[in-house]
Amino acid sequence: LPLPDALPISSPTPSPVVTPTPTPTPSPIATPSPTPIATPTPTPTPTPTPAPTPTPTPTPAPTPFPVPSWQWTNLASAFSGTFQPQLFISQSQNKLYGYQCANGRNARIAEFQGDLDSPSWSFIDGLAGLAEYPPEPSITECGSVVEYQSEIFYGYLSSASLFVQKYNGTGWTDTNDGQDLAVNTYTVAFGPQMIVFNGILFAEWIEYNTSVYKVIIKSYNGTNWSLVDTGIFPTFSGPGGSPRLVIYNGILYASYMQPTLKMFAFSGNVHSPSWSEFDTTPLSAAPSLDYAIMLRTLNATLDVGSNQVTEMYTSWRTTNNGGFISRFDGNEWNSSMSLADGTGASTLTSVDSRLYTTYMNSTGVYMAMWNGMGGWTNVPASINNGFTIASLRPVEFIGYKHRLYVSWIVNNAIRTFVGRQINDTDRKSV
């Protein structure tokens, strides 16, 4: 076989000389810039969410004082006739007394000795009474009873004379050796009214001669009587009467009618007495005043939501049988408590910080309580009914240790009752 043509031998192409890539100069190591410390962004104080404003609870409208329920017990009576009996409670002895200018014109006094289940009275003046009483003047002021130096003192009239006797539990002793206490040769017409002030017994009465009246005030220190009239009480023409003594804000006041209310404040002492006239001008405008029924200092709450206050009260009967009531608060007289005509006011009293009064009309004797909102609220149920206006006389009315005591005349019969609240179950003490 023929051999193939020989392949031409090619000269090898020389490889290009590779120029070495120069080694790059290393870049200098960069110094890292310090990372700045970040100032922390203060966390904002969250705004407190205000508490929702509570819806105010509406203040309830004030309501009148609630009237307690009273239950009445007939204490019977030691007395009879047409003369109004008075009541007195000895706080040291815790005893109830009644006294009266009786039909025989004797000054009588009796002590209550029973309980609510068996009421009874015992006269302590002797069978004949203490003394004969004179013919009834136009305004009968029998006298008064007080407790002084642990004894019962009874001031009363006898004919044209005046006596004060004291009772030690077994018998009576005259405080002036049986001598008339009257100063002038007048007839003693009104009084005496008595009160204990700074450990001294004071008595006020009115003497008169035809139509001339004279106010007399004396004091008793346990042994002797002394005149404490400095001449400031003038003689005056009638009508006049209704002597009254009261203590208010630590001051003794004496009052009487001339015919409007006159009042004097006592200062000094019985050895060097001094009296100054007290302003009663606002009472001078009172309508048709007939006579003063009482002058007392009482503790009572007068307005809903307020505190108890001590004020001086006076009550009058008007010629229209209205009830004129005025109180003195230390600055001025206020007569907004007056009752309407036809509701003759009686004495006022207070018990358990409430102020009470009785009033009368043609159907009976009723009781009302001051309601703390400017008016009187009737106490449910009348004390008595069924007598005419012609027989009405002022009602005796006192409060003591949560109870009320009332005495009055109806058709020539004497009624004496004690009022207890429903939760008072004590029937043994009076």
Side-chain angles (χ1 to χ4, degrees), residues 51-223:
T53 303
T55 303
T57 303
T59 302
T63 57
F65 295 139
V67 178
S69 296
W70 291 89
Q71 52 189 341
W72 295 94
T73 301
N74 190 341
L75 297 182
S77 179
F79 308 103
S80 61
T82 58
F83 287 80
Q84 173 66 52
Q86 306 295 307
L87 299 174
F88 172 76
I89 294 178
S90 164
Q91 297 189 22
S92 67
Q93 302 173 18
N94 203 34
K95 289 183 178 180
L96 173 66
Y97 294 89
Y99 59 101
Q100 180 205 39
C101 302
N103 277 359
R105 307 200 184 282
N106 294 329
R108 305 300 311 265
I109 181 169
E111 177 185 315
F112 185 82
Q113 296 182 333
D115 57 31
L116 301 190
D117 294 317
S118 301
S120 65
W121 296 82
S122 177
F123 283 105
I124 59 174
D125 53 31
L127 294 178
L130 291 174
E132 289 297 312
Y133 187 78
E136 179 184 2
S138 59
I139 303 175
T140 303
E141 300 276 353
C142 180
S144 63
V145 170
V146 298
E147 186 174 12
Y148 178 59
Q149 297 181 343
S150 301
E151 295 182 308
I152 301 300
F153 281 67
Y154 188 10
Y156 62 93
L157 307 178
S158 175
S159 298
S161 302
L162 183 149
F163 298 93
V164 176
Q165 295 200 33
K166 58 183 180 180
Y167 178 69
N168 61 8
T170 58
W172 294 89
T173 302
D174 190 87
T175 60
N176 198 41
D177 295 326
Q179 301 300 308
D180 183 7
L181 281 170
V183 174
N184 302 291
T185 56
Y186 297 174
T187 297
V188 179
F190 308 103
Q193 297 296 304
M194 299 188 295
I195 199 169
V196 178
F197 175 68
N198 287 346
I200 302 293
L201 176 65
F202 286 77
E204 177 190 7
W205 63 90
I206 296 179
E207 302 174 1
Y208 83 105
N209 181 4
T210 311
S211 61
V212 176
Y213 294 77
K214 175 66 176 175
V215 175
I216 302 295
I217 299 179
K218 282 188 174 183
S219 67
Y220 180 73
N221 60 8
T223 305

Side-chain angles (χ1 to χ4, degrees), residues 390-405:
S391 64
L392 293 177
R393 294 175 180 265
V395 175
E396 173 71 344
F397 192 40
I398 57 177
Y400 179 66
K401 286 189 176 180
H402 315 295
R403 293 185 174 185
L404 291 168
Y405 300 81

Side-chain angles (χ1 to χ4, degrees), residues 49 71 80 111 162 234 250 259 266 287 307 317 323 336 358 368 372 375 390 397 419:
T49 303
Q71 52 189 341
S80 61
E111 177 185 315
L162 183 149
F266 179 72
N307 296 322
R317 191 183 75 179
S336 62
T358 55
F397 192 40

Side-chain angles (χ1 to χ4, degrees), residues 253 261 263-264 276-284 328 331 333:
Y253 293 88
L261 182 68
M263 186 177 294
F264 293 81
S276 56
E277 188 163 4
F278 186 66
D279 184 21
T280 56
T281 303
L283 302 181
S284 300
F328 183 77
N331 296 305
W333 291 96

Side-chain angles (χ1 to χ4, degrees), residues 223-343:
T223 305
N224 300 309
W225 287 93
S226 302
L227 189 66
V228 290
D229 175 1
T230 60
I232 194 172
F233 304 108
T235 57
F236 59 93
S237 59
S242 300
R244 298 288 185 266
L245 292 168
V246 69
I247 298 168
Y248 175 65
N249 276 352
I251 299 174
L252 174 66
Y253 293 88
S255 71
Y256 59 95
M257 286 183 59
Q258 187 193 331
T260 57
L261 182 68
K262 295 289 185 179
M263 186 177 294
F264 293 81
F266 179 72
S267 59
N269 54 60
V270 294
H271 304 293
S272 180
S274 177
W275 295 90
S276 56
E277 188 163 4
F278 186 66
D279 184 21
T280 56
T281 303
L283 302 181
S284 300
S288 306
L289 294 181
D290 190 358
Y291 67 90
I293 295 173
M294 55 129 273
L295 180 67
R296 284 180 178 172
T297 301
L298 299 172
N299 300 316
T301 302
L302 299 179
D303 299 296
V304 171
S306 66
N307 296 322
Q308 178 175 290
V309 293
T310 301
E311 297 188 347
M312 180 165 55
Y313 295 81
T314 184
S315 68
W316 303 68
R317 191 183 75 179
T318 69
T319 54
N320 296 322
N321 199 39
F324 182 79
I325 300 170
S326 192
R327 62 186 176 89
F328 183 77
D329 62 5
N331 296 305
E332 62 183 357
W333 291 96
N334 184 321
S335 303
S336 62
M337 290 182 170
S338 294
L339 302 173
D341 285 347
T343 53

